[in-house]
Amino acid sequence: MTVCRVIPPLILLSVGRVFAQSAPPLPDRPWHSSGERQIEDDAKHLRQSGFTVEPDKIYSLAELVDFAEEHNPETRVAWERARAQAAEFGVARSELYPTIAAVVLSQTDREEVPFGSQFYRQTTQAFEGALELNYTILDFGARAGRIAAAGYKLVAANFAFNDTHRKIIYQVAQAYYRLLNAAGQEDAARASLTNAQTAQQAAEDRLEHGLATLPDVLEARSATAQAQYDLQAALGAEEIARGDLATALGVRPTVAINVQPIAQLPIPESIGDSVDRAIDRAFEQRPDLMQQVTEISRANAGVKEARAAFYPALTFSAGPSAQSLYVLQQTLPWGHTADLGGGLSVNLSWTLFDGGARKNNLSKAEANVRAAAAQVNASRDQIADEVWGAYSNVKTALRQRQAAMALLEAASQSYAAALESYKYGVRSFLDVTAAQRTLAQARSTDVSARTQVLTTLMDLAFATGSLLR
């Protein structure tokens, strides 16, 4: 039975206007078309914003990571890809079962049948229902190889899903520590501005009492202006860092996110692990490496499928059917018959010669195994180098942190002594401004050293795959 549907011409014309596009007419003009507005409107509804960040809450790194894993669209992309691969694995497993198809046929034939010197019109009406069953009994591992390959692709997709989480955790942590550093630099810039204003006030007071010169005051005002400039630069860097963190969470950059200040975070003083153990842990935990190891197993499954092509395949088919036939011949009444029919068959198929196709397919599959193994070895060397570099950076950051602490303490004492001495006329104002600049640099270095320790530790955890643990 055939069902015909008539599509109104106006609808066809409308579809043609929207979707029938052409290349840009001119090379020196932007492209615009009648369907552009519809695409732009559709794009506005793609972004979901059903989640918000609490504006008054101070978030920890763990809370931000949980938020990003739940709302960052990259995790859903990887999840849906893994689900699609699971469906593909189910498709491969379906080869273990027979296929059954139902066929219903209604057919009318009319023809002129000769009889002697005359032709007689004959009309035949047939109604038939049939089942078609096909099943592969034996294929010497071809299906098993394809199923195993699909299964390993699913495992690889799951590792890719885990690696997406590892990367998102790392992105959030990096953005988080950049924001902490920017906020700390802002605090340091405000403290430096306060010191500059204090020194300027001391110079103004001494000038009023005839104990200082105008160049001293001008130098103090210049130092205060420079501190104001540095503060504005720090404020701008903090705004950018907040936008980066919001983007990593999967929300708009304009969303305000409050985090803990750097001063409230404990700074580790040692690594607590050897570099050899860190490298071994990376070999055990890195999901991207495990994904490549899975490729070796998938390639071995391809070898199994390629070898099965050298052997015969045994299939079974069955097709029971029920027929009802009507016939009308000229000058004769209608005739009718009905019966059950069908057939059974067993088919043994064996390719004896194919010009070397099977041999070359097997060689290709075996080469894929060796290539996958070589890729794993190359990745292990690269991962070991990444861990080594991250481990060295942590050790350097820890040493720099100790040096920054000593520098800040010494610079604070030097500035205090220089300012006090200047008030008593023992030191010049140039000594004060020099000490002030050193103190400002020491504050900035101390903040950078704090966040550098945390950042390098996060780099090491990312290189070893420990973020997922």
Side-chain angles (χ1 to χ4, degrees), residues 337-454:
T337 184
D339 197 1
L340 295 176
L344 301 175
S345 66
V346 177
N347 181 30
L348 179 66
S349 176
W350 194 355
T351 301
L352 300 179
F353 179 75
D354 59 3
R358 292 172 296 176
K359 179 181 177 181
N360 289 319
N361 282 334
L362 179 59
S363 298
K364 176 183 176 182
E366 291 173 344
N368 289 337
V369 174
R370 295 190 294 269
Q375 182 61 52
V376 169
N377 291 331
S379 297
R380 285 169 62 91
D381 293 341
Q382 181 179 356
I383 288 174
D385 183 66
E386 291 176 2
V387 174
W388 171 258
Y391 192 90
S392 300
N393 289 336
V394 173
K395 293 194 301 182
T396 301
L398 290 173
R399 293 193 297 265
Q400 289 178 332
R401 167 64 180 148
Q402 296 298 323
M405 293 173 61
L407 174 62
L408 179 59
E409 182 178 0
S412 299
Q413 294 175 356
S414 175
Y415 171 75
L419 181 62
E420 187 70 18
S421 300
Y422 172 73
K423 291 179 179 179
Y424 288 102
V426 180
R427 301 281 293 272
S428 68
F429 192 78
L430 292 178
D431 296 331
V432 176
T433 55
Q436 176 190 329
R437 286 193 296 267
T438 302
L439 178 58
Q441 183 63 37
R443 286 197 182 100
S444 177
T445 301
D446 180 69
V447 174
S448 298
R450 284 170 174 264
T451 55
Q452 188 67 15
V453 171
L454 299 176

Side-chain angles (χ1 to χ4, degrees), residues 10 94 113 280 296 301 317 340 425 432:
L10 291 178
S94 66
V113 179
D280 292 338
I296 300 177
S317 300
L340 295 176
V432 176

Side-chain angles (χ1 to χ4, degrees), residues 111-128:
E111 58 184 344
E112 298 291 334
V113 179
F115 185 76
S117 61
Q118 301 291 325
F119 286 86
Y120 297 89
R121 178 176 297 177
Q122 176 177 290
T123 302
T124 303
Q125 178 69 49
F127 298 94
E128 181 177 0

Side-chain angles (χ1 to χ4, degrees), residues 139-149 152 296-311 361-362 365-366 369:
D139 60 2
F140 290 93
R143 289 174 298 176
R146 289 191 292 271
I147 293 172
Y152 286 121
I296 300 177
S297 300
R298 188 167 74 91
N300 281 318
V303 171
K304 183 176 183 180
E305 181 183 359
R307 284 176 178 167
F310 287 92
Y311 300 96
N361 282 334
L362 179 59
E366 291 173 344
V369 174

Side-chain angles (χ1 to χ4, degrees), residues 150-467:
Y152 286 121
K153 287 180 67 177
L154 173 58
V155 175
N158 291 339
F159 280 123
F161 173 73
N162 290 345
D163 197 45
T164 299
H165 278 269
R166 180 178 73 105
K167 293 177 179 177
I168 286 179
I169 294 172
Y170 181 67
Q171 291 173 3
V172 172
Q174 290 294 313
Y176 175 77
Y177 290 136
R178 284 198 301 270
L179 177 56
L180 291 185
N181 180 69
Q185 295 294 347
E186 179 192 343
D187 293 338
R190 291 186 184 278
S192 298
L193 177 60
T194 300
N195 291 339
Q197 291 172 341
T198 301
Q200 178 183 347
Q201 185 62 44
E204 299 277 2
D205 293 341
R206 288 179 59 82
L207 180 64
E208 290 181 1
H209 293 84
L211 301 176
T213 62
L214 181 60
D216 288 343
V217 175
L218 296 178
E219 179 70 21
R221 292 173 181 175
S222 176
T224 301
Q226 181 64 46
Q228 285 279 11
Y229 178 86
D230 294 339
L231 175 59
Q232 297 307 314
L235 290 172
E238 182 183 1
E239 290 181 358
I240 295 175
R242 289 189 182 278
D244 292 342
L245 178 58
T247 301
L249 297 180
V251 298
R252 286 179 175 270
T254 55
V255 175
I257 302 174
N258 297 319
V259 298
Q260 297 171 298
I262 184 66
Q264 295 182 4
L265 295 181
I267 308 300
E269 298 181 358
S270 63
I271 302 178
D273 202 356
S274 66
V275 64
D276 290 328
R277 177 55 190 150
I279 293 175
D280 292 338
R281 192 165 62 248
F283 291 161
E284 298 169 358
Q285 299 177 166
R286 283 279 292 260
D288 53 342
L289 180 61
M290 296 301 101
Q291 185 179 359
Q292 294 181 1
V293 173
T294 305
E295 289 297 317
I296 300 177
S297 300
R298 188 167 74 91
N300 281 318
V303 171
K304 183 176 183 180
E305 181 183 359
R307 284 176 178 167
F310 287 92
Y311 300 96
L314 183 63
T315 60
F316 169 77
S317 300
S321 62
Q323 292 182 332
S324 180
L325 301 177
Y326 295 86
V327 61
L328 176 63
Q329 294 179 331
Q330 190 173 345
T331 72
L332 294 176
W334 278 96
H336 172 258
T337 184
D339 197 1
L340 295 176
L344 301 175
S345 66
V346 177
N347 181 30
L348 179 66
S349 176
W350 194 355
T351 301
L352 300 179
F353 179 75
D354 59 3
R358 292 172 296 176
K359 179 181 177 181
N360 289 319
N361 282 334
L362 179 59
S363 298
K364 176 183 176 182
E366 291 173 344
N368 289 337
V369 174
R370 295 190 294 269
Q375 182 61 52
V376 169
N377 291 331
S379 297
R380 285 169 62 91
D381 293 341
Q382 181 179 356
I383 288 174
D385 183 66
E386 291 176 2
V387 174
W388 171 258
Y391 192 90
S392 300
N393 289 336
V394 173
K395 293 194 301 182
T396 301
L398 290 173
R399 293 193 297 265
Q400 289 178 332
R401 167 64 180 148
Q402 296 298 323
M405 293 173 61
L407 174 62
L408 179 59
E409 182 178 0
S412 299
Q413 294 175 356
S414 175
Y415 171 75
L419 181 62
E420 187 70 18
S421 300
Y422 172 73
K423 291 179 179 179
Y424 288 102
V426 180
R427 301 281 293 272
S428 68
F429 192 78
L430 292 178
D431 296 331
V432 176
T433 55
Q436 176 190 329
R437 286 193 296 267
T438 302
L439 178 58
Q441 183 63 37
R443 286 197 182 100
S444 177
T445 301
D446 180 69
V447 174
S448 298
R450 284 170 174 264
T451 55
Q452 188 67 15
V453 171
L454 299 176
T455 300
T456 54
L457 285 172
M458 183 58 63
D459 292 341
L460 181 60
F462 177 74
T464 59
S466 300
L467 295 181

